[in-house]
């Protein structure tokens, strides 16, 4: 319903008579017209335009500058002065900064209130001394025995050029368990007190799907991986908050991260986090939600949906239930724990990463979720894990055929020809790392050039007709969509290294990946992803035409304005 009609109906219900023409503008009058723009529509029917009109939150006309003639008295007119306008960017995998440590960290609260052991948004080198100092300050505010936590560590962005270890963290406190969480979320660095509280010694065997790492003398070095983390974390309590504090953290966190998304040009984000749905809805009512949410479901919410028959897609154009949360099948790329057939360079030949679930359990989970009309989504990085996930998807879709099931694979990093064929056959929608080739280029020597030619394989997937999308995985990866475009186009990192150059895609392809393919990923392509009459008016104005700047400078182009549903959510 458009705004004017709604106003009219509201007044009509109040019994107002004698309507003057003055109070009611032409119901066809646009709310907003942008003209003199280089509009990159991502719509094949009309790839380039100069102008568009918006009414009631949707594009109503796209074309030449003649559109300006549709303006009425109340139409706001923006002269873009030749600036590039693109559809709003869509991030198909984002944890919103939650470290996986429960509600108190969710929805941006962690970013606002917790110790940051690295820069969440940009490449920045930090010193171990600065991390220790921040943690020490935090420890001073907490009673003994309570976890002192740091987040967003990146082991390859330390200016000391060595790993954080147990001895560094022993300097923080002898009375508190201390942990620093890698931004990848699969590895942790802890102090001696934490090991003592958990009863872990150098003789403790590695649990299934995890490790307690040792130094060259065979002593615990403080690094623990994947499932070893949960063993240690349950040994002590996390910082406690009152219900009022929790609510404040959650609400302010949501507002904080939503504003950040708008600042970087994101208009839709797939939230892979728990427990923030209520805060998101509250902030929507308060007008502080600046992006659209595809809320990926897990835990009690997933169970409730299965029990009550609520399917993916439930909700509206602002807040909608999406696919499931990434159901984990293996470890991580950035932390070298993904399940690969080939051995890791420089590691024992027997180490092939961590598989985190049996094939049988994976099959059962996929069958149950898919049967309930909920869009499947598994996290799989390595070729071994992707193979297992596809096996479970093939089985589930065969048991319960569904139109447009579009099972999602989060990351889907290391592929081969056989996997691509199977993905295409199922119309799998992958959410590939977007910013990694720029941000994590300092980690790719662990895989080597040969493997990198098959990793984060945008070129191969687009050529095969697979609708790959951009999933930042924030925290692990920064979410800046322009950094993502630069990474896809150049495959060159912040340190100047280029990895897997055969997977480069063109700028126009990268924009499509980051817009329309993102909409396809959540089955919302009829509403989002292109600048097309009838679709939601989500767009971004850029200070420079991305086609005209050096590919190595794409990430630095200024976002001038981010608009969602015709409303300006960020302005530089
Ligand atoms: Zn993730």
């Amino acid at each position: 319903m458009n705004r004017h009609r709604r106003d009219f109906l509201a007044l009509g219900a109040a019994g107002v008579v004698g309507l003057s023409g003055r109070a009611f503008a032409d119901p066809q009058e646009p709310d907003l017209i942008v003209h003199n723009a280089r509009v990159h529509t991502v719509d094949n029917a009309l790839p380039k335009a100069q102008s568009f009109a918006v009414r009631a939150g949707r594009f109503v006309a796209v074309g030449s500058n003649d559109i300006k003639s549709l303006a009425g008295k109340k139409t706001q007119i923006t002269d873009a002065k030749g600036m590039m306008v693109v559809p709003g960017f869509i991030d198909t995998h984002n944890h919103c900064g939650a470290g996986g440590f429960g509600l108190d960290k969710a929805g941006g609260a962690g970013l606002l209130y917790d110790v940051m052991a690295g820069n969440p948004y940009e490449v920045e080198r930090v010193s171990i001394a600065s991390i220790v100092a921040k943690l020490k300050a935090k420890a001073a505010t907490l009673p003994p025995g309570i976890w002192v936590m740091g987040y967003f560590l990146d082991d390859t962005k330390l200016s000391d050029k060595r790993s954080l270890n147990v001895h560094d963290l022993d300097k923080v406190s002898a009375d508190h368990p201390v942990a620093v969480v890698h931004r990848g979320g699969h590895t942790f660095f802890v102090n001696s007190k934490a090991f003592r509280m958990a009863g872990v010694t150098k003789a403790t065997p590695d649990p299934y799907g995890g490790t307690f790492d040792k130094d060259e003398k065979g002593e615990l070095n403080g690094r623990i991986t994947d499932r070893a983390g949960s063993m240690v974390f349950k040994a002590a309590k996390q910082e406690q908050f009152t219900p009022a504090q929790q609510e404040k953290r959650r609400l302010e966190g949501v507002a904080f991260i939503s504003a950040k998304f708008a600042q970087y040009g994101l208009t839709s984000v797939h939230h892979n986090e728990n427990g923030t749905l209520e805060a998101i809805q509250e902030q929507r009512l308060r007008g502080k939600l600046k992006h659209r949410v595809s809320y990926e479901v897990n835990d009690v919410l997933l169970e409730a949906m299965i029990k009550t028959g609520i399917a993916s897609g439930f909700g509206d154009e602002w807040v909608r239930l999406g696919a499931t949360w990434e159901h984990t099948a293996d470890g991580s790329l950035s932390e070298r724990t993904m399940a690969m057939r080939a051995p890791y360079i420089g590691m024992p030949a027997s180490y092939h990463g961590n598989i985190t679930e049996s094939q049988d359990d994976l099959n059962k989970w996929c069958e149950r979720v898919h049967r309930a009309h909920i869009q499947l989504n598994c996290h799989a990085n390595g070729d071994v894990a992707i193979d297992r996930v596809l096996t479970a998807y093939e089985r589930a879709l065969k048991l319960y055929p569904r139109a447009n099931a579009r099972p999602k694979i989060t990351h889907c990093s290391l592929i081969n020809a056989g996997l691509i064929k199977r993905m295409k056959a199922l119309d799998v929608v992958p959410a590939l790392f977007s910013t990694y080739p720029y941000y994590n280029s300092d980690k790719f020597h662990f895989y080597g050039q040969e493997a990198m030619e098959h990793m984060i394989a945008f070129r191969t997937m687009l050529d095969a007709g697979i609708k790959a999308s951009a999933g930042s995985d924030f925290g692990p990866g920064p979410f800046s969509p322009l950094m993502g475009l630069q990474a896809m186009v150049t495959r060159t990192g912040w340190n100047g290294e280029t990895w897997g150059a055969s997977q480069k895609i063109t700028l126009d392809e990268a924009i499509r990946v980051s817009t329309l393919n993102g909409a396809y990923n959540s089955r919302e392509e009829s509403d989002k992803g292109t600048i097309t009459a009838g679709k939601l008016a989500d767009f971004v104005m850029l200070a420079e035409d991305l086609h005209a700047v050096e590919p190595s400078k794409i990430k630095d182009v200024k976002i001038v304005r981010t608009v969602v549903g015709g409303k300006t959510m960020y302005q530089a």
Side-chain angles (χ1 to χ4, degrees):
M1 190 191 299
N2 79 41
R3 183 167 58 85
H4 304 289
R5 177 146 170 77
R6 193 168 53 228
D7 291 346
F8 180 84
L9 287 176
L11 281 169
V16 175
V17 291
L19 301 172
S20 79
R22 205 173 144 265
F24 298 97
D26 172 3
Q28 296 308 305
E29 182 180 300
D31 303 322
L32 168 70
I33 289 176
V34 175
H35 70 120
N36 290 332
R38 291 185 200 195
V39 187
H40 185 90
T41 66
V42 192
D43 181 345
N44 286 339
L46 183 73
K48 302 259 171 268
Q50 295 170 297
S51 177
F52 54 80
V54 173
R55 190 175 62 241
R58 289 185 182 257
F59 297 113
V60 288
V62 183
S64 71
N65 276 331
D66 296 345
I67 283 173
K68 209 181 154 194
S69 67
L70 298 176
K73 279 185 198 134
K74 288 186 178 168
T75 304
Q76 181 202 328
I77 296 176
T78 298
D79 183 347
K81 297 186 172 128
M83 279 192 281
M84 184 180 194
V85 180
V86 294
F89 292 112
I90 299 176
D91 187 345
T92 57
H93 185 64
N94 195 310
H95 297 276
C96 305
F101 285 85
L103 282 180
D104 301 332
K105 313 293 175 191
L111 296 165
L112 248 187
Y113 297 110
D114 292 336
V115 171
M116 294 290 111
N119 184 330
Y121 316 107
E122 309 283 347
V123 170
E124 184 190 336
R125 308 206 122 208
V126 300
S127 69
I128 289 173
S130 74
I131 296 170
V132 169
K134 282 189 200 176
L135 291 167
K136 253 186 160 162
K138 180 74 186 181
T141 70
L142 294 173
I146 299 292
W147 279 108
V148 176
M149 304 288 296
Y151 298 91
F152 280 89
L153 175 79
D154 186 336
D155 60 334
T156 55
K157 306 286 187 304
L158 292 170
S159 53
D160 308 68
K161 295 191 176 156
R162 67 167 177 84
S163 181
L164 192 64
N165 62 42
V166 66
H167 310 295
D168 299 317
L169 298 181
D170 282 345
K171 288 182 203 153
V172 173
S173 175
D175 307 321
H176 298 85
V178 178
V180 175
V181 183
H182 194 286
R183 71 181 295 164
H186 295 253
T187 58
F188 317 92
F189 296 81
V190 300
N191 68 348
S192 301
K193 174 78 175 173
F195 280 132
R196 273 200 305 278
M197 289 179 81
V200 172
T201 68
K202 61 182 175 182
T204 305
D206 288 341
Y208 178 78
T211 60
F212 298 111
D213 293 1
K214 316 287 189 313
D215 64 18
E216 48 301 333
K217 289 179 214 139
E219 303 290 335
L220 292 165
N221 66 13
R223 183 177 186 261
I224 59 181
T225 69
D226 282 301
R227 287 202 168 178
S230 40
M231 268 182 77
V232 173
F233 283 114
K234 67 179 182 211
K237 273 197 176 144
Q238 293 286 341
E239 184 180 5
Q240 299 295 301
F241 300 99
T242 65
Q245 285 172 325
Q246 285 171 336
E247 191 186 358
K248 184 173 181 301
R249 282 175 68 99
R250 243 170 278 162
L251 285 172
E252 290 184 354
V254 165
F256 175 80
I257 200 156
S258 191
K260 274 270 175 223
F261 288 156
Q263 181 191 333
Y264 280 88
L266 288 171
T267 58
S268 285
V269 176
H270 295 199
H271 282 231
N272 202 108
E273 58 167 353
N274 251 338
T276 54
L277 191 53
E278 194 195 345
I280 287 168
Q281 298 195 86
E282 178 63 30
Q283 290 299 35
R284 176 189 180 179
L285 288 176
R286 296 183 190 182
K288 287 187 178 166
L289 187 68
K290 297 181 184 299
H291 70 285
R292 303 184 194 276
V293 175
S294 177
Y295 197 82
E296 299 198 322
V297 299
N298 190 19
D299 250 19
V300 272
L301 179 54
L302 176 59
E303 288 307 314
M305 287 171 73
I306 293 172
K307 283 201 185 98
T308 57
I310 296 177
S312 294
F314 193 83
D316 67 12
E317 63 209 37
W318 278 96
V319 183
R320 203 185 283 288
L321 299 177
T324 65
W325 155 298
E326 56 175 331
H327 184 79
T328 307
D330 71 340
S332 97
L333 188 160
S334 66
E335 297 153 282
R336 283 86 68 179
T337 60
M338 70 186 208
M340 304 200 293
R341 200 150 281 136
Y344 278 79
I345 295 170
M347 291 196 189
S350 59
Y351 177 71
H352 293 269
N354 299 330
I355 278 282
T356 52
E357 191 173 48
S358 73
Q359 183 73 59
D360 199 41
D361 287 348
L362 187 58
N363 289 351
K364 282 185 192 139
W365 184 85
C366 288
E367 178 184 337
R368 186 162 173 264
V369 168
H370 170 70
R371 186 182 183 182
H373 297 265
I374 295 164
Q375 192 183 0
L376 290 163
N377 179 16
C378 288
H379 155 124
N381 271 301
D383 50 353
V384 171
I386 296 168
D387 168 74
R388 293 164 73 106
V389 167
L390 287 173
T391 298
Y393 285 180
E394 284 157 353
R395 183 180 167 276
L397 268 71
K398 202 172 167 194
L399 287 170
Y400 303 98
R402 304 260 194 258
N404 287 320
R406 298 188 199 172
K408 177 170 178 172
I409 298 183
T410 289
H411 312 318
C412 205
S413 300
L414 179 63
I415 50 85
N416 56 48
L419 296 177
I420 287 288
K421 222 173 157 180
R422 292 164 68 194
M423 285 172 64
K424 173 68 182 160
L426 292 183
D427 194 17
V428 164
V429 288
L432 268 56
F433 288 115
S434 52
T435 55
Y436 266 33
Y438 176 79
Y439 183 83
N440 274 331
S441 54
D442 47 19
K443 297 183 179 71
F444 295 150
H445 60 275
F446 281 95
Y447 296 97
Q449 211 47 275
E450 165 60 22
M452 287 309 298
E453 300 293 352
H454 306 279
M455 200 101 85
I456 317 176
F458 280 109
R459 177 78 277 147
T460 303
M461 289 191 191
L462 295 188
D463 288 348
I466 293 166
K467 293 187 174 66
S469 64
S472 69
D473 201 27
F474 182 73
F479 57 69
S480 160
L482 294 186
M483 187 192 287
L485 295 183
Q486 178 171 324
M488 292 172 213
V489 168
T490 66
R491 295 287 287 201
T492 300
W494 64 276
N495 61 358
E497 293 175 12
T498 302
W499 292 95
S502 65
Q503 294 299 340
K504 281 184 199 174
I505 56 175
T506 67
L507 176 61
D508 288 358
E509 287 171 329
I511 294 172
R512 177 172 296 255
V513 158
S514 308
T515 55
L516 184 57
N517 287 8
Y520 189 86
N521 192 282
S522 55
R523 308 193 279 216
E524 293 175 290
E525 72 275 13
S526 58
D527 260 344
K528 296 178 180 178
T530 65
I531 295 178
T532 303
K535 285 199 186 183
L536 296 166
D538 301 350
F539 62 91
V540 176
M541 296 175 68
L542 301 160
E544 289 168 89
D545 187 334
L546 299 176
H547 298 95
V549 300
E550 276 289 309
S552 63
K553 301 269 188 288
I554 291 173
K555 71 172 179 52
D556 304 319
V557 169
K558 192 167 138 192
I559 306 275
V560 175
R561 203 199 281 202
T562 302
V563 178
V564 183
K567 200 174 154 206
T568 298
M569 298 301 192
Y570 169 78
Q571 188 140 27

